[in-house]
Amino acid sequence: MKKLHLICNSHIDTIWQWEWAEGMSATLSTFQSAANLMEMHDYIFCHGESSIYEYTEKYAPELFRKMQQLVKEKKWHISGGWYLQPDCLMGHGESYIRQIRFGMDFFRSRFGGENLPKTAVCFDAFGHSRGLVQIVKKCGQENYIFMRPYSKYIRPQLELPSEYFYWKGYDGSQIKAFRGTEYNSPLGKAAEKIATDMQRLKDYDETVSLWGVGNHGGGPSHKDLTDIENLMKQSDVQIIHSTPDRFFAENEPGDVWEQSLISCMPGCYTSMTALKQIYRELERQQFLTEKMRSAAALRGICEYPAHTLREVTEDVLTVMFHDVLAGTVIKAGEDNSLRYINHGLKELERLKLEAFFGMVKGQPVAEENTYPIFVFNPKPYTQEQFVECELSIVPTDYFDSEYSNLQIFDENGQPVPCQTIKEASNVSIDWRKKVVFKAKLKPVDITRFTARTVVEPKPVYPYGEDITFDNGVKKLRISKETGLIESYVVNGREYAHGDMFQLFSYDDTADPWAMSDEELRNGIGKNPKPFTMLTDGDGVFQGLHSLEITEDGPIYLAAEAFFACGLTRARIGYKIYKEGATVDVDVDLFPAETNKCIKLHIPVQAQSYIGQQVFGTEELYMDGRECVAHDFVAMKNGEDYLQVLTPDSYGSSYCNGTARLTLLRNVTYVAHPVPDRPLTRERIFLPKCDQGQRSYRLRLQPAKEQELQKNADLFAEKPFAMNIFPTVDKKSGCDYEISHTNPDIALVTMFRATETDGYLLRLQNNTAHEAQTVLHCGNAVKQLRFGKYEVKTVRLLGNALEEIDMFLI
């Protein structure tokens, strides 16, 4: 007999068209209603996001105790078990680990380990990265149930071999996965929705029907349950009240899927880009601070602030909510989420400085007329990298024709390549200085450098001429007519097949999801209009000239050009490094229009187009459809790649020999399409996302396959540098080495464990090949072997290192 598993739930968007407080109110009423109905009907209610259970325990303790009893009676099932239902494409892999482990830790403590779910549930996310497979598996779960991208039963968006399949991760691990239809059923119409889902039994012996009023809560109703009881009696199909765990336990898939589960609503990769950017900064600062505080604690300098860092993690996990990170909440929701991010950044800055100043204690005081600079390297290997630092010198009277530059010396007194560049301040006194220098840095430790001043003539740079550069490795030309890179040759190979980094403005819709079939299948935006160079600046660029060199020294040559399209203005800044093939491109956008999508074009011929995703890399579309990638995209031609590092953006597309990086969309907050109705109200001002200045940093460089992830990691996570004058305070603590031998293995983070004793190190193989390294922590040494893209957890306990099979926190 065919079998239908009924999974009663109530998907609750705790923030969407409303703020968090109203979302919690809806949760409490839904939970109370679900519990009340169990006195009249025999069914199972499924729900499992620990963040809202935690609020329930706090605000409705009697109801919470009732829920605990219902779980014991198997009437209430904890499904999913994560902190909340996050966006499943744009977070860092470590953040998804914490989504699961924070949720499981809460449910274990309140409901017992025997009630922890084996099935991850992410109904409402707008896509799912293949990197989640390894994470789910190593966090102790075995299955994954999702809804989007939609199936043929709803709205064809992704053709799978089956709706029930094995999902294979980048590292080769597998979990079971099932795609359900809509998680919602309208109030009083659950039986109709279930009857529709029963049509899937034409293709399968068993399937699932998700039902219950959702979005703003509700769950089951008395009418729905009565109708279902009647349907069970009348049907020739075995219909049972079930759970995701039961369905997966009773069924074995036959097919395997080895890709991410995308695309669906591709506008979510770019909408509300300012929030996305600051969220990514919060993640990076969190991991940097955890490494710094771990190093300081192990050296006896200061304690590890576990409680505060846990609060910061909760800020991160909260903002990962699928409607927040996707950019599909109201303006008040965006503001609310930014408060979480800023709280986290404030706490991290305080913790980071406490550790940094502690590490500097005991350093010799500065010699006369010197300025000490200390740099913390978060990488577990010695590296040479360009470091920037800003500081104050003793003010001078120099101004017109001369001014003070900085010279930098290493710990042995040897000069290192350096260049004084424009400082953040604009006070016309020879006082504030910013320097970029090439630094050889010790692993997970501070390295000292010394700055001295030297008076030099102020340089005068030409403008309005072609900029040409040739260092024997790269030849580059920026046109005075267009302000764009028209030639980029590395080791004799021309990569530019047209003007590189030209901005285009596309006509867009107000819909932040971009959920139309047209946008899904053919990409976002129409009728591209190119930005053109402003010979003489206007508006925000009043009085400025294109194309002008702004810096030229031992490290790089910098130039800038200004552009316009309609009411929108843009600045593109170039940093042409004197060594190697690298070029940095900084873009400052000043949008002042609506329903526009701004893309940056890079014409490069490619055989394949790839990008970084969660703990791995993904083959991206090459037919104009919008793609999602984290810190880089790369165009392969032959054995080499042209890599573009993108730490400030997610969305892009590739078509007809051109990569198109999507920088922002001026959409309307929560402009959700409704069939046969206007998208937005007319003749009234409606706030738009991403008005005002938005900035992006990019890096262009050829690379080998095994270098892609490492390059992105180095560009995204910068060393922390600061001018500090050491005091007479004595050194606290001891020396303690934290390092390993293979730069292809990333130290994602290191932190004091909460689920076990000691410290945990999360390490990732950044390549698609097997790799190994030797890890040193104090006197402890351990050799580690990694499969492709494998992530490992190593526990440091005293003088011993132990590899842990499970992802722990």
Side-chain angles (χ1 to χ4, degrees):
M1 178 182 288
K2 302 270 188 175
K3 183 186 287 187
L4 183 67
H5 293 255
L6 301 184
I7 297 178
C8 175
N9 76 100
S10 180
H11 173 75
I12 302 173
D13 286 318
T14 43
I15 182 170
W16 182 31
Q17 300 180 69
W18 41 82
E19 296 184 64
W20 294 106
E22 186 178 339
M24 271 315 307
S25 175
T27 300
L28 295 179
S29 63
T30 298
F31 283 1
Q32 184 66 69
S33 174
N36 291 345
L37 287 168
M38 287 178 183
E39 298 177 4
M40 297 177 281
H41 299 275
D42 183 16
Y43 78 105
I44 303 170
F45 183 69
C46 301
H47 206 287
E49 295 160 80
S50 70
S51 55
I52 59 178
Y53 276 67
E54 196 168 348
Y55 279 113
T56 305
E57 183 182 32
K58 182 182 296 184
Y59 298 137
E62 288 297 325
L63 171 60
F64 188 79
R65 283 190 284 272
K66 176 65 173 175
M67 290 160 54
Q68 287 176 309
Q69 181 59 38
L70 292 170
V71 169
K72 288 181 181 179
E73 296 173 4
K74 306 299 182 185
K75 295 181 178 180
W76 191 296
H77 177 73
I78 299 166
S79 64
W82 294 18
Y83 186 79
L84 47 74
Q85 288 194 39
D87 174 274
C88 290
L89 286 170
M90 292 180 281
H92 191 282
E94 179 64 25
S95 298
Y96 292 113
I97 293 172
R98 299 181 188 197
Q99 281 285 349
I100 303 176
R101 300 309 309 179
F102 268 51
M104 294 298 189
D105 181 55
F106 175 85
F107 286 121
R108 182 185 293 107
S109 66
R110 304 306 197 276
F111 295 91
E114 68 277 7
N115 291 305
L116 295 181
K118 292 294 185 182
T119 303
V121 174
C122 291
F123 290 145
D124 208 19
F126 310 117
H128 312 262
S129 173
R130 186 182 172 196
L132 290 172
V133 176
Q134 180 178 189
I135 294 169
V136 169
K137 187 82 170 179
K138 290 185 177 179
C139 283
Q141 294 190 299
E142 300 170 356
N143 318 305
Y144 195 81
I145 188 169
F146 66 102
M147 183 186 72
R148 298 193 182 96
Y150 294 114
S151 72
K152 64 182 181 180
Y153 300 98
I154 298 294
R155 181 182 171 195
Q157 290 182 331
L158 176 67
E159 185 175 345
L160 295 169
S162 170
E163 301 299 284
Y164 185 40
F165 54 93
Y166 278 111
W167 194 15
K168 190 173 183 178
Y170 297 117
D171 68 323
S173 57
Q174 291 188 158
I175 58 176
K176 296 178 182 179
F178 177 82
R179 174 165 63 182
T181 58
E182 291 279 4
Y183 52 74
N184 278 344
S185 57
L187 180 63
K189 296 187 177 181
E192 296 177 26
K193 201 271 184 181
I194 292 167
T196 300
D197 286 342
M198 288 173 66
Q199 300 300 311
R200 302 176 72 164
L201 291 172
K202 296 176 182 177
D203 300 323
Y204 304 99
D205 290 331
E206 293 191 30
T207 192
V208 166
S209 179
L210 307 169
W211 72 279
V213 181
N215 281 346
H216 207 27
S221 70
H222 174 65
K223 180 181 185 304
D224 286 325
L225 288 164
T226 300
D227 290 345
I228 290 170
E229 289 164 0
N230 292 331
L231 182 62
M232 287 177 166
K233 295 174 184 176
Q234 299 167 5
S235 178
D236 56 359
V237 170
Q238 184 184 5
I239 303 174
I240 62 170
H241 290 293
S242 187
T243 68
D245 284 359
R246 179 174 176 181
F247 169 76
F248 282 103
E250 294 182 3
N251 290 275
E252 199 70 21
D255 296 294
V256 178
W257 182 254
E258 299 186 37
Q259 301 175 37
S260 292
L261 297 163
I262 51 176
S263 285
C264 177
M265 304 181 185
C268 297
Y269 312 152
T270 313
S271 297
M272 215 176 283
T273 187
L275 183 137
K276 289 174 168 62
Q277 288 179 334
I278 193 171
Y279 162 80
R280 298 179 82 175
E281 180 63 17
L282 176 60
E283 280 188 325
R284 292 176 187 130
Q285 290 299 318
Q286 178 187 22
F287 304 146
L288 171 65
T289 303
E290 288 176 347
K291 285 185 267 193
M292 190 181 291
R293 291 302 300 228
S294 295
L298 287 166
R299 291 170 181 141
I301 294 170
C302 53
E303 293 184 353
Y304 187 85
H307 177 74
T308 304
L309 285 170
R310 184 178 179 89
E311 287 186 343
V312 172
T313 300
E314 290 176 350
D315 292 332
V316 174
L317 302 185
T318 299
V319 180
M320 288 179 76
F321 189 73
H322 56 274
D323 279 314
V324 171
L325 195 51
T328 54
V329 293
I330 58 173
K331 179 66 167 63
E334 179 186 32
D335 294 340
N336 189 293
S337 301
L338 288 171
R339 287 194 288 272
Y340 280 93
I341 295 174
N342 288 323
H343 168 263
L345 289 171
K346 172 182 175 294
E347 292 295 332
L348 291 173
E349 182 180 29
R350 178 176 63 83
L351 297 178
K352 185 169 58 180
L353 289 177
E354 183 181 5
F356 195 76
F357 276 93
M359 291 182 185
V360 171
K361 280 184 181 179
Q363 287 278 341
V365 297
E367 296 179 4
E368 189 175 2
N369 297 322
T370 67
Y371 304 88
I373 295 174
F374 295 90
V375 184
F376 178 80
N377 175 21
K379 306 304 181 191
Y381 48 86
T382 300
Q383 63 158 326
E384 281 193 330
Q385 189 169 354
F386 292 122
V387 173
E388 291 184 355
C389 184
E390 192 159 328
L391 63 151
S392 295
I393 64 169
V394 176
T396 76
D397 291 331
Y398 299 111
F399 174 68
D400 287 331
S401 60
E402 296 180 313
Y403 70 160
S404 299
N405 278 335
L406 295 178
Q407 295 177 328
I408 305 295
F409 301 85
D410 66 17
E411 291 180 319
N412 298 317
Q414 298 299 309
V416 300
C418 65
Q419 179 177 338
T420 304
I421 58 177
K422 175 67 177 73
E423 71 281 4
S425 173
N426 294 297
V427 177
S428 296
I429 300 176
D430 189 30
W431 180 13
R432 287 292 292 172
K433 297 294 170 181
K434 185 175 183 180
V435 64
V436 55
F437 59 98
K438 190 175 185 179
K440 187 175 183 179
L441 304 174
K442 293 180 284 190
V444 197
D445 205 347
I446 60 166
T447 306
R448 179 172 179 159
F449 298 87
T450 299
R452 298 178 184 270
T453 58
V454 58
V455 179
E456 296 179 340
K458 276 190 174 181
V460 178
Y461 302 121
Y463 71 89
E465 300 178 3
D466 284 352
I467 295 175
T468 59
F469 180 88
D470 185 351
N471 65 358
V473 176
K474 68 171 175 275
K475 294 181 181 179
L476 180 139
R477 184 171 62 254
I478 302 176
S479 167
K480 65 181 180 182
E481 304 295 334
T482 64
L484 302 172
I485 298 174
E486 62 179 16
S487 178
Y488 176 61
V489 178
V490 180
N491 294 324
R493 178 175 178 176
E494 175 64 83
Y495 284 93
H497 289 265
D499 291 335
M500 303 182 82
F501 297 101
Q502 184 170 15
L503 289 161
F504 282 81
S505 176
Y506 287 74
D507 293 336
D508 201 353
T509 70
D511 170 14
W513 289 268
M515 63 175 66
S516 72
D517 289 338
E518 171 68 20
E519 291 164 308
L520 178 67
R521 301 186 187 286
N522 299 317
I524 294 173
K526 296 180 178 180
N527 306 318
K529 299 177 181 63
F531 281 66
T532 55
M533 190 177 75
L534 293 166
T535 304
D536 294 306
D538 64 6
V540 69
F541 303 133
Q542 187 70 42
L544 300 178
H545 304 285
S546 295
L547 170 73
E548 186 162 1
I549 294 174
T550 57
E551 311 276 1
D552 193 5
I555 305 298
Y556 60 70
L557 181 150
E560 63 184 3
F562 310 103
F563 301 86
C565 184
L567 298 176
T568 298
R569 299 293 179 265
R571 169 192 174 271
I572 296 182
Y574 303 99
K575 294 177 184 174
I576 306 167
Y577 287 88
K578 297 298 178 74
E579 294 182 358
T582 300
V583 178
D584 287 354
V585 178
D586 300 322
V587 180
D588 297 306
L589 276 179
F590 299 85
E593 296 174 278
T594 62
N595 298 345
K596 299 293 183 182
C597 171
I598 309 298
K599 285 178 171 278
L600 191 69
H601 285 208
I602 307 172
V604 176
Q605 295 298 322
Q607 297 164 340
S608 64
Y609 184 54
I610 70 168
Q612 183 191 55
Q613 282 198 11
V614 177
F615 285 153
T617 59
E618 186 89 4
E619 290 275 351
L620 304 177
Y621 302 124
M622 298 186 70
D623 57 4
R625 284 182 287 173
E626 198 76 1
C627 307
V628 58
H630 288 199
D631 287 338
F632 76 83
V633 293
M635 289 69 76
K636 183 178 182 180
N637 202 324
E639 293 301 315
D640 295 330
Y641 291 84
L642 183 63
Q643 183 177 25
V644 182
L645 304 182
T646 58
D648 298 318
S649 61
Y650 289 108
S652 71
S653 59
Y654 186 93
C655 187
N656 298 327
T658 299
R660 303 164 184 180
L661 308 184
T662 311
L663 300 184
L664 61 78
R665 303 178 63 228
N666 296 132
V667 296
T668 303
Y669 290 95
V670 198
H672 191 296
V674 176
D676 302 320
R677 296 184 185 181
L679 182 58
T680 58
R681 181 178 168 184
E682 298 178 353
R683 299 174 63 185
I684 184 173
F685 171 73
L686 300 172
K688 295 284 182 175
C689 299
D690 287 316
Q691 299 292 317
Q693 182 176 348
R694 297 290 179 262
S695 299
Y696 307 82
R697 57 193 176 107
L698 306 158
R699 174 167 288 176
L700 179 71
Q701 60 187 25
K704 301 294 184 182
E705 181 182 18
Q706 65 271 20
E707 298 172 330
L708 296 172
Q709 295 263 31
K710 181 177 66 176
N711 290 344
D713 191 35
L714 289 171
F715 190 55
E717 185 181 52
K718 299 290 188 181
F720 180 75
M722 191 173 180
N723 163 226
I724 297 177
F725 290 92
T727 64
V728 296
D729 290 86
K730 295 181 180 179
K731 178 180 178 178
S732 58
C734 60
D735 294 330
Y736 192 96
E737 178 185 4
I738 303 169
S739 68
H740 69 64
T741 56
N742 187 348
D744 290 335
I745 306 297
L747 175 61
V748 177
T749 189
M750 180 179 184
F751 53 92
R752 186 66 185 260
T754 58
E755 297 181 340
T756 183
D757 295 327
Y759 287 80
L760 297 180
L761 294 85
R762 203 90 70 202
L763 300 123
Q764 180 199 1
N765 178 7
N766 271 334
T767 73
H769 311 284
E770 292 183 352
Q772 58 183 332
T773 191
V774 179
L775 176 63
H776 296 260
C777 289
N779 295 323
V781 180
K782 188 170 184 63
Q783 183 166 351
L784 299 169
R785 298 181 184 277
F786 292 77
K788 62 178 183 179
Y789 295 125
E790 185 177 7
V791 181
K792 286 184 180 288
T793 302
V794 177
R795 179 173 64 178
L796 171 64
L797 186 58
N799 290 320
L801 288 165
E802 176 191 8
E803 191 174 328
I804 304 293
D805 290 336
M806 294 280 287
F807 284 160
L808 300 178
I809 57 170

